[in-house]
Amino acid sequence: MTTFTALTTMTGQDTADALAEALEALNPEPTGIGVFEVEDGSGLWEVGAYFTEAPDQAGLAVLAALHGVKDFVVSEVPDQDWVAKVQRELPPVPAGRFFVYGAHDADNVPEGSIPLLIEAAMAFGTGHHGTTLGCLLALDALVQGGVPQTNVADIGCGTAVLAMAAAHVTDAPIVASDIDPVAVDVAAANVAANGLSGRVDCIVAPGFDAPALKDRAPYDLVFANILKGPLIAIANDMANASADGAYAILSGILNEQADEVAAHYARFGFNEVARNSIVDWTTLTLIKSAG
């Protein structure tokens, strides 16, 4: 089935939210509406609407004019098995001792590596993005350095690839959380496919706001591969949920944002241990000081 997208950008979340609400009254109705901050430091917001039939372009133009934003760009998305396409085109990813792969590459897992089976699905984290790869390399460096983990949390887990990697190198209990129920379902399926059921608990939670996360604190290793805004927002909660000497591996950070994020976490007692930049993205490894 052919689908359509209509996208525009603007300055200010209030304008974006108001436009998104107005889009709901279009006929034909959009099947989904998204509001996203463009994480490039520009201050822009993107509003996208998705349709199963051609949208009313005149109506879109009126809404754009009323809200003082750029005209919508309407695109037709051809019918395609996108999951199969992604599975064919994404190669496996080596990341230190870890090897992230899809089932179609099961015969290519190198001997001696730690395999992480991830199927293409509606969740972030296949290892191909610089953020996920950076986190895996940061974990590998901690393991090489002999840093023990006895209690691990993966905040914004997506596919749970980081939680599963940790489960392979420690006997620690691990909880993987995401605000998106679809991502949590995908994470649980990946955990089962990797034979890690009972080792990694997958839960729906925004940040650290869930009894299952609070009850397990303090953590000595926390992954948070999200974006700059949410990372800044959870810094105090992460400090409260982390033991003295705990490590935090943070990503979803554009290179030009890394100093700001590191400085913000320093105010909550986290000192930078290492950083790794892959293309446009930086991963920070921090340690929480005593007191």
Side-chain angles (χ1 to χ4, degrees):
M1 178 177 64
T2 300
T3 57
F4 299 84
T5 62
L7 302 172
T8 187
T9 57
M10 68 224 61
T11 302
Q13 184 178 5
D14 290 344
T15 302
D17 289 339
L19 178 57
E21 183 176 354
L23 282 167
E24 296 177 1
L26 276 181
N27 186 19
E29 295 181 6
T31 57
I33 299 169
V35 177
F36 310 96
E37 183 178 9
V38 180
E39 287 286 330
D40 60 0
S42 65
L44 292 176
W45 288 75
E46 180 181 86
V47 174
Y50 308 88
F51 302 83
T52 55
E53 54 185 301
D56 177 4
Q57 297 205 37
L60 289 170
V62 169
L63 287 178
L66 287 173
H67 289 82
V69 304
K70 295 179 180 179
D71 288 340
F72 281 89
V73 175
V74 177
S75 302
E76 183 175 335
V77 182
D79 186 20
Q80 186 166 177
D81 186 344
W82 290 102
V83 170
K85 178 179 173 63
V86 169
Q87 287 177 333
R88 287 193 302 270
E89 295 183 359
L90 286 183
V93 177
R97 71 193 64 211
F98 305 108
F99 186 79
V100 186
Y101 72 102
H104 57 292
D105 275 313
D107 294 335
N108 299 320
V109 176
E111 185 176 351
S113 67
I114 296 176
L116 298 170
L117 172 62
I118 303 290
E119 289 298 0
M122 293 176 62
F124 178 85
T126 63
H128 296 81
H129 198 274
T131 59
T132 308
L133 177 57
C135 289
L136 289 170
L137 292 173
L139 174 61
D140 186 59
L142 289 182
V143 174
Q144 285 186 10
V147 175
Q149 297 95 43
T150 59
N151 194 15
V152 179
D154 181 4
I155 306 299
C157 66
T159 61
V161 62
L162 302 178
M164 294 191 300
H168 278 287
V169 295
T170 177
D171 293 329
I174 297 169
V175 59
S177 70
D178 202 287
I179 197 171
D180 181 359
V182 172
V184 173
D185 289 343
V186 170
N190 281 324
V191 167
N194 282 267
L196 294 171
S197 296
R199 293 290 328 283
V200 179
D201 291 334
C202 302
I203 65 169
V204 178
F208 288 86
D209 191 17
L213 281 165
K214 294 177 180 178
D215 292 348
R216 295 182 183 218
Y219 298 97
D220 59 7
L221 175 62
V222 177
F223 297 102
N225 181 17
I226 38 181
L227 290 170
K228 174 194 148 187
L231 284 173
I232 294 293
I234 68 170
N236 185 50
D237 289 342
M238 187 180 297
N240 290 334
S242 299
D244 291 344
Y247 285 84
I249 296 176
L250 312 181
S251 200
I253 307 164
L254 290 166
N255 294 337
E256 59 269 25
Q257 299 170 341
D259 288 343
E260 180 184 352
V261 174
H264 184 76
Y265 271 77
R267 292 196 284 272
F268 293 93
F270 288 93
N271 300 312
E272 183 175 336
V273 174
R275 70 171 63 188
N276 183 19
S277 296
I278 300 175
V279 191
D280 296 327
W281 300 91
T282 293
T283 298
L284 297 173
T285 303
L286 313 175
I287 187 170
K288 186 186 175 191
S289 58

